Amino acid sequence: MQKILSWIALLGGEVVLFVAFRTWGAGLPEDIRILDTIVSMLILALFFVDLLIPWVDWNGGCHSRLGSLGLRWTFTCLYAVAAVVVMVLCPWVFEATFLTQLLIQIVLFLGLILGFSAVSGALLRIEEVYAREERLRDRTREMMRNVRHLEQVAAEVVNLPESYRTRIAQLVEEVRFIAPCASAEALDLEKRFADALRTVEFALSACDMNRETIETALAQAERICIQRKTIYID
């Protein structure tokens, strides 16, 4: 419904501008009046573009575009003000020719495009950084999923000593404080941590016979967790 109303408002505004220039722009030469009409309609369309083609996807997980929204509106407003100033001053104050005004408007529009291009470049960089950080967070979330899964498995083993359950629960708490990191050392520790947890999980199926294996692998997971907590800078 909002998009429909926005389209109606935009089309209505464009019609009003066209009629206004045809009615009250009789004092302008025909070519300049057409140029000013086109520029005015373009400016109006620029202010409606966010309603018709949203710059920010509010339903998405990444709102990285939000940071560039202010820059885009700044370029839009600067262009609109400059274009209107040219339309007002050039024909009445400086008595500029049509070709001069056309060149000025083209330069202003190219400046707007360059501004949008700069915003798009900055947006691309923001999205790349966000994607990289999200991948790093996925790795720490994977560590948490693995250790929680082990905790659930351990809870179902009837004859498992309570000390093991306590140590696994402590591992869950320790993993909460692990920060994402892109270093090769962090990645290696995370892989070794997952391997140690899998060893413990496999040994739990016959915990009475695999006490030594469980103890060794669990101690290894604890050491790796402590080492990984100390790495938090890329």
Side-chain angles (χ1 to χ4, degrees), residues 17 43 77 95 130 170 177 196-197 234:
L17 282 174
I43 292 172
C77 292
E95 298 182 354
Y130 176 85
Q170 289 174 345
F177 300 100
L197 295 185
D234 294 353

Side-chain angles (χ1 to χ4, degrees), residues 1-11 48 51-52:
M1 186 62 180
Q2 180 186 8
K3 183 167 288 190
I4 294 175
L5 294 176
S6 298
W7 274 110
I8 293 174
L10 173 59
L11 295 177
F48 272 84
L51 296 175
L52 303 176

Side-chain angles (χ1 to χ4, degrees), residues 140-232:
T140 56
R141 285 193 284 261
E142 181 66 20
M143 292 181 69
M144 177 58 73
R145 283 193 293 267
N146 289 339
V147 74
R148 282 194 177 279
H149 175 70
L150 179 62
E151 185 180 34
Q152 293 173 356
V153 172
E156 297 173 358
V157 178
V158 179
N159 56 341
L160 183 68
E162 190 62 31
S163 60
Y164 287 152
R165 291 194 179 93
T166 302
R167 290 168 65 183
I168 294 172
Q170 289 174 345
L171 263 183
V172 173
E173 293 302 318
E174 292 297 325
V175 170
R176 295 179 188 274
F177 300 100
I178 291 179
C181 182
S183 70
E185 182 182 2
L187 179 60
D188 179 64
L189 289 173
E190 289 163 13
K191 290 180 178 178
R192 288 166 53 196
F193 183 78
D195 291 341
L197 295 185
R198 279 193 290 268
T199 300
V200 174
E201 181 181 354
F202 179 77
L204 286 177
S205 59
C207 63
D208 289 335
M209 294 185 297
N210 298 324
R211 292 287 181 90
E212 184 176 349
T213 301
I214 295 173
E215 177 63 35
T216 301
L218 190 55
Q220 182 184 15
E222 291 168 337
R223 288 194 301 270
I224 293 172
C225 184
I226 293 173
Q227 288 179 273
R228 181 59 183 83
K229 281 176 61 180
T230 63
I231 303 175
Y232 50 87

